[in-house]
């Protein structure tokens, strides 16, 4: 039994996660780039985020649990990165008394979103494996 059962509205939550991941991918493209290293790093970040979004949407629309699982691996790396940012923020606040509370709060908000993504992806993958959504991604009642 999970903490929050989303099985009745999993398609809605999966769509919300897809839109949020797409917006995060578009947001990763922005920024001011001053030298060649920052530009190449920004493009690489965007390409990884784009691969994640395409993989997620493909897995969701084609009901492919393997794509959702690989997307969860991407998410696990994002969680590790966000936790590292949080820990570094706490250490910096403690050691140099920098008032970076917004930095720590931002990392916590990102972790909350990532927990939501993980929960939705795991329930989506479970529903695909159990085949409890037989008509997901199909158009019904079309004349042939």
């Amino acid at each position: 039994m999970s903490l929050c059962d989303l099985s009745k509205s999993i398609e809605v939550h999966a769509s919300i996660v897809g839109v949020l991941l797409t917006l995060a991918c578009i947001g990763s493209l922005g920024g001011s780039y001053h030298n060649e290293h920052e530009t190449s790093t920004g493009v690489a970040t965007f390409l990884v985020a784009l691969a994640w979004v395409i993989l997620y949407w493909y897995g969701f629309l084609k009901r492919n649990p393997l794509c959702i699982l690989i997307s969860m691996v991407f998410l696990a790396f994002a969680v590790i990165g966000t936790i590292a940012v949080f820990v570094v923020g706490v250490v910096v606040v403690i050691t140099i008394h920098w008032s970076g509370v917004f930095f720590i709060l931002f990392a916590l908000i990102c972790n909350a979103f990532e927990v939501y993504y993980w929960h939705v992806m795991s329930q989506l993958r479970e529903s695909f494996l159990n085949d409890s959504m037989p008509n997901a991604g199909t158009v019904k009642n079309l004349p042939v």
Side-chain angles (χ1 to χ4, degrees), residues 59-123:
F60 172 56
L61 295 176
K62 295 293 185 175
R63 300 177 37 81
N64 190 336
L66 180 63
C67 287
I68 298 296
L69 178 67
I70 295 170
S71 185
M72 289 174 75
V73 171
F74 275 95
L75 183 62
F77 284 119
V79 167
I80 291 169
T82 309
I83 290 172
V85 166
F86 176 76
V87 169
V88 166
V90 169
V91 168
V92 166
V93 167
I94 290 172
T95 56
I96 64 172
H97 305 291
W98 176 62
S99 62
V101 176
F102 72 93
F103 188 71
I104 295 171
L105 185 63
F106 180 72
L108 286 175
I109 290 170
C110 287
N111 270 334
F113 275 113
E114 290 166 352
V115 166
Y116 173 69
Y117 296 163
W118 184 270
H119 188 67
V120 169
M121 285 183 198
S122 65
Q123 285 195 1

Side-chain angles (χ1 to χ4, degrees), residues 4-15:
C4 181
D5 188 21
L6 306 173
S7 60
K8 301 222 186 290
S9 60
I10 190 67
E11 287 182 352
V12 173
H13 288 281
S15 298

